[in-house]
Amino acid sequence: MRADRAATRQAASSLRGLAAIVLSALLFLPLGRPAAAEDVPVTSRAFSQFVTGSDQRVFGKLEFLGGIAYSSGNPLLGSISAIRLREDGQHFVAVLDTGHWLTGRVERDAEGRLSGLAGVEIRSMFDKNGRDGNRKFRMDAEGLAIRKGELLTSFEVMHRIDAYPDPGFMEAKPKRRLRFPFDPHEMRINRGIETLAMSPATGPLGATPVAVTERSLDAEGNIFAAVLEGPRKGLFAVKRDDPWDITDGAFLPNGDLLLLERRFSLASGMGMRIRRIAGDTIRPGAVVDGEVLIDADLSQQIDNMEGMDVVAMAEDDIRIIVVSDDNHSILQRNLMLEFRLK
């Protein structure tokens, strides 16, 4: 038994070492550079079961409505870090951690279930100097928020939050850089701001962006977070529940914050969960926590789930869209899942 545990620890250590080497190499690779927004043909396969072979629909506090697995012959498609749907609930904007914009629209079948993606375009992002096709370490885009007239995007490695004009973001450099809310020395190189989300005007925080890091921790081991504007502007923290890391977030219409979280280990594999943080608990100096709405693993239709958004189809029909980051790996899938908050 001890030998087995030692072998497992050694394998885990080797895997972490290999991952560090691969990450270091990837950070300095040049990115793909379409000269303009490039049309991307997408093939989608819809599925209606969250657990293969089971008609179970309710998981925790969420109802599974359906999903799609999608792919393309264009090698740029993949590595989605964050996604935001427009007000029509159909058109979307996403950022890739390879430093690209992704836009398109969600298609549905006659029953209203996800059926595919259409009108998909990809474009290399411009940096503050008007350069595109940058190396990954310069343009590791992770978080995305839509506000009137601009898209806010957070970047890891070279930690920052840039504001791009909207419309016109695919052909423009950032119009400004937001004041970074955290001490840069406290940011882990690949665990910086993973979540940017706009709080609704009618919520406790008002219409303001909120930033949450993936796994940059304070002295008590809690996750750094910040309200960027408004009367509750300031730092707060999210209680970390090891081994979960935050990968995205989105606000419900009432102002509660949903946080998408991921875990991975050799022993337990991949996991996904969504935690609900009451909006009225978010204030400077607070350490917030909340109810887990769903906790899923690889026995269900998940992968490396990285992006999430909330869509209000009606007052009593709140949808949650979750997408995966395939890391451009043949061993992983690009997924889009849809749930209804019960």
Side-chain angles (χ1 to χ4, degrees):
M1 183 67 72
R2 290 180 180 175
D4 291 342
R5 285 198 296 267
T8 300
R9 287 195 297 269
Q10 183 177 0
S13 177
S14 298
L15 183 60
R16 286 193 297 270
L18 178 60
I21 293 171
V22 172
L23 175 62
S24 298
L26 289 175
L27 288 176
F28 291 91
L29 285 176
L31 306 175
R33 183 180 180 178
E38 183 174 309
D39 294 334
V40 177
V42 176
T43 300
S44 302
R45 178 185 62 82
F47 53 88
S48 59
Q49 296 177 324
F50 193 45
V51 178
T52 302
S54 170
D55 291 328
Q56 179 181 350
R57 308 297 299 174
V58 177
F59 300 86
K61 297 296 180 69
L62 304 183
E63 176 188 2
F64 181 67
L65 300 180
I68 56 172
Y70 59 94
S71 60
S72 174
N74 188 316
L76 293 176
L77 183 66
S79 292
I80 293 180
S81 292
I83 187 169
R84 298 297 175 207
L85 279 84
R86 298 290 192 177
E87 290 185 0
D88 63 6
Q90 180 181 14
H91 290 83
F92 65 84
V93 181
V95 291
L96 316 184
D97 65 20
T98 52
H100 292 80
W101 298 108
L102 173 72
T103 62
R105 68 179 183 275
V106 175
E107 293 193 315
R108 297 179 179 275
D109 63 17
E111 284 72 42
R113 295 173 299 200
L114 296 177
S115 62
L117 303 179
V120 175
E121 294 185 335
I122 293 179
R123 175 66 161 92
S124 180
M125 303 175 80
F126 288 95
D127 66 12
K128 67 176 182 178
N129 298 312
R131 300 174 302 193
D132 62 353
N134 290 275
R135 298 181 186 275
K136 178 178 168 65
F137 82 96
R138 294 182 182 275
M139 301 297 289
D140 187 351
E142 295 293 341
L144 177 66
I146 298 178
R147 69 188 310 177
K148 186 176 181 180
E150 60 186 10
L151 299 181
L152 305 181
T153 305
S154 65
F155 296 85
E156 286 185 333
V157 185
M158 298 184 69
H159 302 291
R160 64 193 188 277
I161 303 173
D162 286 344
Y164 287 82
D166 182 34
F169 57 92
M170 292 185 91
E171 302 298 331
K173 65 181 182 181
K175 64 180 187 179
R176 65 189 180 100
R177 178 161 295 173
L178 276 66
R179 180 181 177 278
F180 197 73
F182 311 110
D183 180 350
H185 298 97
E186 298 287 354
M187 295 292 101
R188 299 192 184 187
I189 185 170
N190 201 43
R191 295 288 188 269
I193 298 177
E194 195 82 5
T195 296
L196 275 178
M198 283 297 300
S199 172
T202 54
L205 303 179
T208 183
V210 172
V212 185
T213 66
E214 179 179 2
R215 200 202 305 169
S216 290
L217 309 177
D218 64 17
E220 286 71 44
N222 299 311
I223 300 163
F224 281 111
V227 179
L228 301 187
E229 300 170 354
R232 296 195 187 183
K233 177 181 177 180
L235 300 182
F236 67 101
V238 178
K239 182 176 176 57
R240 182 167 188 261
D241 184 9
D242 188 54
W244 296 95
D245 293 325
I246 294 169
T247 60
D248 205 358
F251 279 92
L252 294 172
N254 74 344
D256 286 354
L257 174 62
L258 300 186
L259 293 175
L260 176 66
E261 297 178 290
R262 168 190 61 203
R263 62 168 170 79
F264 174 76
S265 72
L266 290 176
S268 59
M270 188 79 70
M272 175 203 85
R273 77 176 191 179
I274 297 174
R275 195 171 13 155
R276 180 174 185 167
I277 309 297
D280 60 7
T281 66
I282 299 174
R283 61 185 69 248
V287 178
V288 301
D289 195 2
E291 175 187 20
V292 173
L293 301 182
I294 186 172
D295 187 334
D297 58 30
L298 288 177
S299 67
Q300 289 129 346
Q301 294 269 23
I302 69 164
D303 205 281
N304 176 36
M305 310 311 292
E306 279 244 4
M308 177 178 67
D309 202 13
V310 169
V311 181
M313 305 293 280
E315 185 176 351
D316 59 349
D317 187 4
I318 307 301
R319 309 285 182 91
I320 300 170
I321 300 286
V322 188
V323 294
S324 68
D325 171 359
D326 73 338
N327 291 305
H328 289 302
S329 168
I330 61 172
L331 301 178
Q332 295 179 267
R333 296 184 295 167
N334 286 310
L335 298 176
M336 177 179 286
L337 312 176
E338 185 174 38
F339 299 89
R340 178 185 286 122
L341 179 65
K342 293 185 65 64

